[in-house]
Amino acid sequence: MTMRPIVYFGDPVLVTPTTPITTFDRHTEALVRDLLDTVDAPGRAGVAATQIGVGLRAFSYNVEGKIGYVINPEIVELSEEVQEGDEGCLSVPRLWYPTRRAQRAVVRGVDLRNEPVTVSGEGLMARCLQHETDHLDGMLYLDRLDRDNRRAAMREVRNSPWFLREKPEPVSPSKLPSAFGGIG
């Protein structure tokens, strides 16, 4: 099991659009395994490859008992109905801000055999699919905040003990909120 360290806000990999995966070999298998191992921790709903420092287009998810991954995901459907809720990010630890997302989302991509896969969901799963796909497009949830919340979030980022440091202080898993808002 290889739980990879999370890259934090300020690292250029987080704002750089990813490269599609075109070779399906042992390196791709290792990346997917690392993504699955890294998402399998309390308070984690999703991990994009960029969050472990890899500029390739893949993410893993762990939402309401569903654990999986998608290679080369693209959002193909978003509902007109929206959800408002606090969202957080492993790359921006301990900060949660109201973020508007579609209530339902559908992502299409491929698996390790380059076979088509579709993942869809509502509520938290929809939020996760949108959040992780944003990462792969070089976008953080902070970029989706309204002006006042973004200003407050950036101030809080600059004052955070983890900002521009190697690692944040550890948090007890019992005190970790869900990666996308609320107490898990």
Side-chain angles (χ1 to χ4, degrees), residues 145-164:
L145 300 179
D146 65 45
R147 189 172 139 199
D148 291 339
N149 280 323
R150 181 163 167 74
R151 185 177 297 129
M154 296 311 293
R155 186 172 31 257
E156 206 169 344
V157 163
R158 285 188 301 275
N159 293 323
S160 294
W162 54 263
F163 184 56
L164 299 179

Side-chain angles (χ1 to χ4, degrees), residues 4-66:
R4 301 270 298 268
I6 299 295
V7 172
Y8 300 109
F9 178 87
D11 190 306
V13 73
L14 293 173
V15 294
T16 304
T18 54
T19 302
I21 293 173
T22 57
T23 304
F24 297 83
D25 59 11
R26 64 184 175 84
H27 299 291
T28 308
E29 289 174 13
L31 171 62
V32 167
R33 202 171 32 254
D34 288 354
L35 286 168
L36 290 169
D37 289 347
T38 303
V39 80
D40 191 21
R44 294 186 176 183
V47 174
T50 54
Q51 292 182 279
I52 60 171
V54 178
L56 295 174
R57 195 161 185 86
F59 70 75
S60 59
Y61 58 89
N62 182 359
V63 178
E64 298 165 346
K66 294 180 184 176

Side-chain angles (χ1 to χ4, degrees), residues 88-162:
C89 180
L90 297 171
S91 294
V92 189
R94 299 186 185 95
L95 280 84
W96 291 268
Y97 281 89
T99 308
R100 186 180 183 113
R101 297 281 188 180
Q103 176 62 25
R104 178 168 164 44
V106 179
V107 167
R108 285 199 189 118
V110 296
D111 64 14
L112 282 168
R113 294 177 308 281
N114 199 18
E115 296 291 327
V117 296
T118 301
V119 181
S120 61
E122 295 187 10
L124 183 59
M125 179 60 94
R127 185 176 292 277
C128 175
L129 296 174
Q130 294 167 81
H131 181 105
E132 300 311 327
T133 303
D134 274 356
H135 271 301
L136 302 177
D137 293 336
M139 179 181 249
L140 294 166
Y141 88 98
L142 300 174
D143 299 318
R144 294 198 175 272
L145 300 179
D146 65 45
R147 189 172 139 199
D148 291 339
N149 280 323
R150 181 163 167 74
R151 185 177 297 129
M154 296 311 293
R155 186 172 31 257
E156 206 169 344
V157 163
R158 285 188 301 275
N159 293 323
S160 294
W162 54 263

